[in-house]
Amino acid sequence: MAGEDILQMSQKELKRLHIIQKRIDGQIGQEEAARMLRMSVRHVRRMAKRVMLQGAARAISRRRGKVSNRAVSIEERQRVLGLYRQKYWDFGPTLAVEKLR
């Protein structure tokens, strides 16, 4: 066990790794793996290649721990919450969104 790393994986990532490993071992085809994982055949091929070359760690999402591309900046969020609390405190969420727009 010396030199081995411990990986934390979600259930989804474990399932993905299991299916990709079955694909690598030839137990299932690319199309079947793609259908099971709900992704394209091309993406299954890329993932299988990464897992074969770099190991199980490549089944983990590379976006983990990063901020979403669609995230609202902290300053913008604070500004909107301030307006909501100051002017629209008695509105429901839908009406408040309409007024803020």
Side-chain angles (χ1 to χ4, degrees), residues 45-93:
R45 201 175 316 133
R46 285 195 314 255
M47 286 193 66
K49 183 178 179 182
R50 278 201 317 254
V51 169
M52 282 191 303
L53 294 176
Q54 300 172 351
R58 289 297 130 218
I60 297 173
S61 173
R62 292 189 279 176
R63 294 278 315 152
R64 181 185 281 181
K66 294 183 180 177
V67 177
S68 168
N69 291 333
R70 298 176 52 133
V72 176
S73 70
I74 294 172
E75 295 82 17
E76 182 71 10
R77 181 179 167 92
Q78 292 300 323
R79 188 177 74 78
V80 169
L81 285 173
L83 282 171
Y84 173 74
R85 289 182 182 129
Q86 184 181 33
K87 292 178 82 173
Y88 306 115
W89 59 270
D90 58 341
F91 287 21

Side-chain angles (χ1 to χ4, degrees), residues 12-71:
K12 184 177 179 181
E13 290 166 339
L14 281 171
K15 177 185 173 189
R16 184 183 307 142
L17 177 61
H18 178 71
I19 293 171
I20 292 295
Q21 197 61 54
K22 282 179 133 180
R23 168 62 204 117
I24 292 169
D25 295 341
Q27 295 174 5
I28 60 175
Q30 286 181 19
E31 294 83 10
E32 187 177 355
R35 189 172 51 257
M36 292 169 77
L37 294 172
R38 296 181 181 208
M39 56 178 62
S40 70
V41 173
R42 183 173 182 269
H43 192 63
V44 168
R45 201 175 316 133
R46 285 195 314 255
M47 286 193 66
K49 183 178 179 182
R50 278 201 317 254
V51 169
M52 282 191 303
L53 294 176
Q54 300 172 351
R58 289 297 130 218
I60 297 173
S61 173
R62 292 189 279 176
R63 294 278 315 152
R64 181 185 281 181
K66 294 183 180 177
V67 177
S68 168
N69 291 333
R70 298 176 52 133

